[in-house]
Amino acid sequence: MTEPLIGRCLCGAVDYMADAEPMLVGHCYCVDCRKASGTDHGTHVGVPEAAFTLSGEVKAYESAADSGSMIARNFCPECGSAIFSRNSSMPGMIFIRASSLNDPSQVTPQLSVYAASAPDWAVFDTSKPVFDLMPEGGPQSALPS
């Protein structure tokens, strides 16, 4: 295994560690991820919940995704930094926001989803799979074995 994934919020009130290899790293261009990130996409790092430890208090905002799954987006209540999310259709996983990692170069996105929702000025890495919507079976089903 590589080094643990370590991150924190902007003000330092919340920090975390994930002591596991990422199960999934992807860009999402859905409207909700765009609005939550303040840019054209969100980059999510899926890790086993059992390997994730959190220090500090977070606040969660829960909403329904296009799929009908409930997404709980957790953020620092002091500075507003996005930290991680949970997806009701993927129990046992935490989705760390790559932007909160101390060293984002530890992860490499493997695919992009909801490209049809991206603004015209978005740039896609076409060397990786790009899906207009969510692949049937979820993002993990679209990764090479």
Side-chain angles (χ1 to χ4, degrees), residues 23 47-51 86-95:
M23 299 166 66
V47 297
E49 188 168 5
R86 288 187 172 95
N87 183 324
S88 66
S89 70
M90 296 181 202
M93 285 185 71
I94 293 286
F95 293 90

Side-chain angles (χ1 to χ4, degrees), residues 22-137:
M23 299 166 66
L24 167 73
V25 181
H27 297 308
C28 182
Y29 291 83
C30 78
V31 172
D32 290 352
C33 284
R34 288 190 293 112
K35 289 185 181 286
S37 71
T39 188
D40 68 342
H41 70 281
T43 303
H44 307 280
V45 182
V47 297
E49 188 168 5
F52 182 79
T53 56
L54 181 71
S55 175
E57 297 295 319
V58 293
K59 185 171 180 179
Y61 176 75
E62 197 167 346
S63 62
D66 290 348
S67 65
S69 298
M70 293 305 292
I71 309 296
R73 291 177 179 80
N74 292 261
F75 58 94
C76 173
E78 294 300 315
C79 66
S81 296
I83 306 294
F84 69 93
S85 60
R86 288 187 172 95
N87 183 324
S88 66
S89 70
M90 296 181 202
M93 285 185 71
I94 293 286
F95 293 90
I96 296 169
R97 291 297 292 270
S99 57
S100 70
L101 288 168
N102 291 351
D103 181 7
S105 66
Q106 283 183 275
V107 298
T108 302
Q110 300 162 289
L111 77 163
S112 296
V113 297
Y114 287 104
S117 297
D120 292 342
W121 45 265
V123 178
F124 298 98
D125 178 357
T126 56
S127 71
K128 309 285 168 76
V130 176
F131 297 91
D132 280 343
L133 300 172
M134 181 64 72
E136 187 156 337

Side-chain angles (χ1 to χ4, degrees), residues 1 3-6 16-21 47-48 51-53 96:
M1 186 178 128
E3 295 292 314
L5 300 172
I6 297 171
Y16 63 84
M17 181 178 75
D19 199 10
E21 292 287 330
V47 297
F52 182 79
T53 56
I96 296 169

